[in-house]
Amino acid sequence: MSHISSPARQRRLTPRALFLLGGLLVPWAVAADDAPAPPPGTVVLKGHAEAAYAVAFTPDGRHVVTASFDKTLKVWDAATGKEGRTYGGPQGHQGLVLAVAVSPDGQTFASGGADNSARLWDFPSDTPARQFAHNDSVNAVALTPDGKTLAGAGKDGGVRVWGAADGKQLADLKGHAGAANGVAFVGNGPILASVGADGTLRFRDVAKGQPVATYGAHNASVSAVAVNPNNAAAYTVGEDGLLKFWKLPPDVPRPLPPHADAVTALMLSNDGNGVLTGGADKTVRLSNFGNGQPLRQWKGPTAAVTAVALSSNGAVVAGGTADGRLFLWNGANDTLLSQALAHSGPTGAVAFHPNGSQLLSGGGDGLLKTWALPPLPVKTLTQREAHAGGVTCVAYHGNGTQAVSGGADKAVKLWDLAQGKVVRAFGPLADPVSAVAFSRDFALVGAAAGKMVKVWNVVDGKESLTLTHPAAVSSLAFSPDKTRLVTGAADNTARVWDVASGKELQSFAHAGPVSGVAFHPNGLSVVVAGGDRAMVHAVSATRVVVASEKPLRALALTASGSHAVTAGDDGKICLWNLGNGVKERTFEGAAGALQAVAVSRNGALVAAGGAEGVVRFYTFADAKMIGQFKAPGPVRGLAFSPNGQALAAACADRSLLAWNVVFNPGQPPPPAFGTVLQTYAHDGAAHDVLFAPDSVTLYSAGADKAAKAWKIASEVPVRNFGHPREVDAVAFDPAGTRLATGCHDGNVRLFDVAKGQQLKEIKAHLPPAPPNQNQTNPVYAVAWNPAGTQVVSAGMDHALKLWDAATGTLVREIKAYKEKEADKGHRDPVFCVAFSPDGKLIASGSAGQERGIKLWNVADGSLVRDFVNPSLKAPPGGTAPAHPGWVYGVRFTPDGKSLVSVGAAPKGRGYLAVWNVADGKLLYGAEMALGTFYSVAVSPDGKRLAVSAGATGGLPQDANAGYIFKTPDAAK
């Protein structure tokens, strides 16, 4: 194997032994008498167990990355020296780490090692990569599955949508009358669902910035919304303790032709194709249910229409009016068949016999009357008033022999029409009855009175349901399968109820008091009359589950969408089967109210956290708690990374942090489980957090009026480039898209960073022929020119070579010293190279007896100058050295005016020098008892230097460190 000959007897260094570093012999000097003493103001980066061999600043100068012989890389805060992250272990380098370089965008860094690999790592950061501004606290965030679009729900009720990549605002959606608490995309858009403190679930078209549909979802604040992965269903939880199921896509409400005044009466035809409405404008209208087109209009009443009815075959239309009249029209045309004074008070109720042979009416005079067609009174059901104070509503039983009525006397009565007798009375009620209705099978009868709706069994008269409203109820109707009930009230709202649980499923807001409601025969839609028109609404709520008696705060779906996990103020974490609404298991152990829950994508883990500031982990399969992490504050949001390797938490104390949660089901958690990966901070309480599909980008929402994007670093490399020998050097091109490596086999390799593919293999520094099989010419240094078009390499063969990066061809060689042929070249191995910022110069540093630094003209390869240290003597026949020991690193300052170099010095010291590029004058030179200096980096502003060091010469292990110095002032 080719190697450096026994090091020269340097004037100020007495070698004791040679430490072999993959073909590179590093001096191991005798013990020094003095201990490390960093200059005042120096930031010390302590933590490596062995020599810190390479160092690099991030582009923003805020962090430093060090590479060490201890097989790890560490990231440090450049201002404080605080260690931020260590990369190593089973997934890291398995040998000495010899090189490090940070990408120009600061998102990744590369390392090279003695394990014959170059590796790419995600770079951690405690500052957001992007911020998305809002007008108030951002309570929740959501991302499209493709990761391209981000939405934020604001405390001000607004929902903002941004392009995730460029931060451009795409939409500012208003609507919630209170805080928006949750958002979810339906697929990749353009539909966005949001929920809020106003109890609504709203769907908006993001591209158009327009509302699609608004549902009254809960009768309390809605806490969260989630969309099934197949985009066929959505789910919400609220402070009413309910979990609700919603079908997708959302249906747009459809208006029917308006009246010139308030709609006062409503009914559907038996087949559901026609919608009959009566209005205060003294007209009756028939509209097509399917397309909303007007079909017919009947006029004639001299007062507002108070009741309408349509015969079963649609042949006859009936209308009752406020002046006590009864009108009959031909259903096929505009012909008025007859009219009669039916009651001495308003005719408030009309209904056709099921076979169309008779008509039943009720009026303000308290009488119920049956009419033959044409309308001639056949019978008044009783000799006295059927309902004292007036009959307000009637409905025929399907058998045609019975009817139910309600009146101002607060009574509901079932009548035998033939005998005119009451079969059964329901109630009593607390207020006058405003509406009655039969279920389609006539097994149930419902009645509205004041703010209450009651339902009874027809057979035995037993009450089965009571529904309380915030305002007086005007109308009600059963769904065809009697599992739901729709009601209309004076608070401008129609509500759909689940009959089994008595819970509100959904509500619809209108412009005025709701006067009439009807279920369509298909059971999927309701027609609601309110204001001057009737509207057709889809019933999108398909199921309601009473999940808790206390408020629910959090909801998470499994990746398949088959199950949901809920959590809330009762401290319980429950798993629900979304196919049948059954609770399958409970995760025990929480000690307080819960505000966040998450399920890993692989279905292995469930995490939950809340007010007590503890995050607990459970196995999904058996609900066993396997661990808990202490968070810095109350937990508001949780999210697993898609790859299942990390969990992020948003906390009320402003912090955002991520833990390692790598876990294999059936095995105990590994030792690294629960290790904090990174921490971040909002300027206000952090409310929500989620991962992008790449498992690297993290989005959070906070009280600082912003959603923020963060970069989370993985503990494992994102790319691994195998090499046949040690990798001694790595360098990114200026764009950060290509990586150059220098290998111990003498080759330079270029890689596509994004694809992880090798672009070129350049046989750069091969041994002379015929080569010994053990002989190599290692490449110790590589660097890109500022244009990214050329790469310079240097190594054991004492030569520098300039390569065309596109073709891999040799542009120019600066040959090793050879008398009369290349008398300006290096006489010893070249350990380091650097381009000047303008790309016109190359600096190189060497080892051996030469210990030189040379400056070269890139255009023709000529030597510009040697950097000569005036305090050092030249060896026989050579140039005076630049350093007292080997030169390990050179870097230009950003302005190109100075060159910084580091290396070894006697007694295990390090040497730092600063040179004037224009004339080669030594501006600053100092030996420091801090260990050998192996690498140097200059901060982007040129004000600081980062140096890596190793504890040679018997120095304590603390000298295996990095140091950050202020750049020496040449004037001093």
Side-chain angles (χ1 to χ4, degrees):
M1 177 174 68
S2 176
H3 60 272
I4 301 174
S5 60
S6 177
R9 300 284 178 178
Q10 301 179 39
R11 296 179 63 86
R12 300 174 63 184
L13 178 65
T14 304
R16 179 178 179 182
L18 294 177
F19 175 60
L20 183 63
L21 170 58
L24 167 60
L25 293 176
V26 180
W28 188 263
V30 297
D33 296 330
D34 47 350
T42 301
V43 176
V44 182
L45 313 176
K46 288 186 178 180
H48 283 296
E50 297 185 36
Y53 192 68
V55 65
F57 270 105
T58 56
D60 60 10
R62 298 182 67 251
H63 294 88
V64 170
V65 185
T66 56
S68 173
F69 288 177
D70 64 7
K71 304 179 185 179
T72 70
L73 296 113
K74 291 180 181 289
V75 178
W76 313 81
D77 184 293
T80 64
K82 180 181 179 181
E83 182 181 332
R85 186 76 180 277
T86 297
Y87 296 80
Q91 300 296 330
H93 282 286
Q94 300 306 299
L96 313 180
V97 189
L98 307 175
V100 65
V102 180
S103 65
D105 63 3
Q107 299 298 303
T108 58
F109 62 92
S111 60
D115 59 353
N116 304 347
S117 73
R119 301 176 187 236
L120 284 179
W121 309 83
D122 284 323
F123 196 91
S125 175
D126 57 4
T127 57
R130 183 168 290 108
Q131 295 196 45
F132 308 87
H134 214 282
N135 290 333
D136 206 333
S137 296
V138 184
N139 291 332
V141 285
L143 197 66
T144 52
D146 61 10
K148 294 181 179 180
T149 309
L150 179 75
K155 185 179 178 181
D156 61 352
V159 175
R160 292 193 175 186
V161 183
W162 300 277
D166 58 13
K168 181 180 179 181
Q169 184 172 301
L170 304 178
D172 186 0
L173 308 173
K174 309 295 185 182
H176 285 288
N181 294 330
V183 283
F185 283 96
V186 180
N188 288 322
I191 304 301
L192 177 71
S194 64
V195 295
D198 59 1
T200 63
L201 166 61
R202 296 173 185 265
F203 292 93
R204 266 78 75 89
D205 186 307
V206 174
K208 297 178 181 178
Q210 297 177 349
V212 174
T214 299
Y215 304 149
H218 294 255
N219 58 15
S221 178
V222 191
S223 305
V225 59
V227 172
N228 190 289
N230 63 16
N231 300 308
Y235 309 91
T236 59
V237 292
E239 292 188 11
D240 53 7
L242 302 180
L243 165 64
K244 292 190 178 183
F245 300 50
W246 307 86
K247 68 180 181 66
L248 293 174
D251 290 288
V252 180
R254 187 173 68 253
L256 297 173
H259 284 258
D261 205 337
V263 178
T264 53
L266 168 73
M267 78 161 291
L268 281 176
S269 62
N270 283 352
D271 58 10
N273 292 328
V275 181
L276 192 67
T277 56
D281 61 356
K282 307 173 186 178
T283 64
V284 175
R285 298 172 182 266
L286 182 67
S287 305
N288 184 290
F289 174 86
N291 58 27
Q293 294 299 310
L295 298 176
R296 201 163 304 286
Q297 177 176 297
W298 295 277
K299 297 181 179 180
T302 57
V305 178
T306 52
V308 292
L310 185 66
S311 64
S312 57
N313 60 6
V316 182
V317 173
T321 64
D323 58 1
R325 293 186 175 273
L326 177 63
F327 290 82
L328 289 182
W329 291 278
N330 187 318
N333 53 48
D334 300 337
T335 304
L336 176 64
L337 298 178
S338 63
Q339 63 171 303
L341 183 60
H343 297 274
S344 59
T347 304
V350 290
F352 280 98
H353 189 281
N355 63 15
S357 62
Q358 290 182 340
L359 184 70
L360 183 66
S361 70
D365 55 6
L367 300 178
L368 277 172
K369 295 182 180 181
T370 56
W371 304 77
L373 298 179
L376 296 174
V378 174
K379 182 183 295 185
T380 299
L381 293 188
T382 62
Q383 297 303 313
R384 55 183 174 80
E385 292 178 328
H387 290 276
V391 178
T392 55
C393 44
V394 294
Y396 259 109
H397 192 285
N399 58 23
T401 64
Q402 293 180 322
V404 67
S405 65
D409 59 356
K410 307 177 185 179
V412 176
K413 300 177 181 180
L414 181 66
W415 298 89
D416 182 311
L417 296 177
Q419 299 182 28
K421 293 182 179 180
V422 175
V423 176
R424 181 168 290 107
F426 304 95
L429 299 172
D431 295 284
V433 180
S434 54
V436 292
F438 276 113
S439 61
R440 177 162 287 198
D441 62 359
F442 304 101
L444 301 175
V445 64
K451 298 179 181 180
M452 200 77 67
V453 169
K454 290 184 177 289
V455 176
W456 300 273
N457 293 310
V458 172
V459 173
D460 57 16
K462 290 184 178 179
E463 182 181 320
S464 61
L465 180 65
T466 298
L467 304 174
T468 303
H469 293 65
V473 183
S474 62
S475 52
L476 75 157
F478 286 93
S479 65
D481 61 2
K482 70 181 180 186
T483 61
R484 288 161 292 167
L485 185 71
V486 60
T487 61
D491 61 350
N492 305 351
T493 304
R495 295 173 173 83
V496 179
W497 304 80
D498 179 71
V499 171
S501 65
K503 298 296 183 181
E504 183 182 319
L505 271 175
Q506 186 175 355
S507 66
F508 308 100
H510 277 258
V514 176
S515 56
V517 293
F519 247 107
H520 192 272
N522 63 17
L524 303 177
S525 302
V526 293
V527 182
V528 179
D532 65 349
R533 71 175 63 217
M535 300 285 292
V536 177
H537 296 275
V539 180
S540 296
T542 59
R543 177 178 287 132
V544 60
V545 173
V546 181
S548 174
E549 295 302 321
K550 293 185 177 181
L552 290 175
R553 306 290 184 183
L555 169 69
L557 300 185
T558 58
S560 65
S562 62
H563 291 75
V565 179
T566 60
D569 286 4
D570 62 1
K572 294 181 179 178
I573 308 158
C574 300
L575 178 70
W576 304 90
N577 186 313
L578 296 179
N580 55 27
V582 173
K583 181 169 67 175
E584 292 190 351
R585 66 184 68 104
T586 300
F587 302 81
E588 304 286 355
L594 297 170
Q595 293 179 303
V597 68
V599 183
S600 63
R601 182 167 291 187
N602 64 3
L605 292 173
V606 172
E612 62 175 330
V614 175
V615 177
R616 291 178 172 83
F617 286 84
Y618 304 84
T619 50
F620 181 87
D622 57 11
K624 179 182 178 182
M625 188 167 72
I626 60 171
Q628 58 185 32
F629 305 158
K630 180 63 179 175
V635 178
R636 297 280 184 83
L638 290 171
F640 282 98
S641 61
N643 62 14
Q645 295 182 357
L647 177 84
C651 300
D653 70 336
R654 305 184 180 186
S655 64
L656 185 74
L657 67 162
W659 291 281
N660 177 324
V661 292
V662 175
F663 174 77
N664 293 315
Q667 300 180 12
F673 188 84
T675 303
V676 176
L677 299 177
Q678 279 176 256
T679 59
Y680 316 90
H682 270 268
D683 293 328
H687 292 159
D688 194 21
V689 62
L690 60 84
F691 274 94
D694 61 7
S695 293
V696 172
T697 307
L698 195 67
Y699 295 95
S700 62
D704 50 3
K705 302 182 181 181
K708 299 183 179 184
W710 312 83
K711 185 89 167 182
I712 185 170
S714 171
E715 289 188 307
V716 298
V718 293
R719 293 278 187 275
N720 194 344
F721 307 105
H723 289 65
R725 294 294 305 273
E726 300 96 317
V727 180
D728 297 292
V730 291
F732 283 98
D733 74 347
T737 59
R738 293 169 294 174
L739 182 72
T741 63
C743 184
H744 227 63
D745 65 357
N747 291 337
V748 171
R749 294 172 174 84
L750 305 183
F751 296 90
D752 183 300
V753 172
K755 297 179 181 179
Q757 297 177 351
Q758 182 173 298
L759 301 174
K760 299 289 179 185
E761 181 176 323
I762 303 171
K763 299 186 181 302
H765 298 263
L766 300 182
N772 183 295
Q773 63 177 358
N774 294 321
Q775 189 176 18
T776 62
N777 268 332
V779 180
Y780 289 137
V782 291
W784 292 82
N785 71 341
T789 57
Q790 296 176 336
V791 176
V792 65
S793 62
M796 179 71 79
D797 61 2
H798 311 179
L800 280 75
K801 296 185 180 182
L802 191 64
W803 307 94
D804 184 292
T807 64
T809 56
L810 182 65
V811 175
R812 184 166 290 105
E813 179 179 2
I814 299 174
K815 295 184 177 180
Y817 173 83
K818 190 172 184 181
E819 190 176 358
K820 296 182 181 180
E821 294 183 16
D823 59 350
K824 304 296 185 183
H826 280 287
R827 298 169 181 259
D828 283 296
V830 180
F831 284 175
C832 49
V833 292
F835 272 98
S836 62
D838 61 8
K840 296 180 179 180
L841 301 172
I842 295 175
S844 57
S846 65
Q849 289 186 338
E850 183 178 65
R851 294 167 283 147
I853 300 174
K854 294 177 180 286
L855 191 68
W856 308 90
N857 188 314
V858 173
D860 57 12
S862 62
L863 179 68
V864 176
R865 68 178 50 83
D866 284 291
F867 291 88
V868 177
N869 192 322
S871 65
L872 301 175
K873 293 183 179 180
T879 303
H883 278 215
W886 294 356
V887 182
Y888 284 112
V890 290
R891 286 289 186 273
F892 285 90
T893 55
D895 59 10
K897 294 180 179 180
S898 301
L899 181 75
V900 181
S901 61
V902 296
K907 297 184 179 181
R909 298 170 181 253
Y911 187 74
L912 169 66
V914 180
W915 310 82
N916 186 40
V917 173
D919 57 12
K921 181 180 178 182
L922 178 64
L923 304 176
Y924 174 91
E927 296 181 14
M928 302 180 191
L930 301 175
T932 300
F933 292 165
Y934 288 116
S935 182
V936 63
V938 182
S939 65
D941 60 8
K943 296 180 178 180
R944 293 174 297 169
L945 307 177
V947 174
S948 64
T952 57
L955 294 174
Q957 195 175 64
D958 279 355
N960 293 317
Y963 301 93
I964 299 176
F965 306 115
K966 290 182 179 179
T967 302
D969 188 342
K972 298 180 180 179

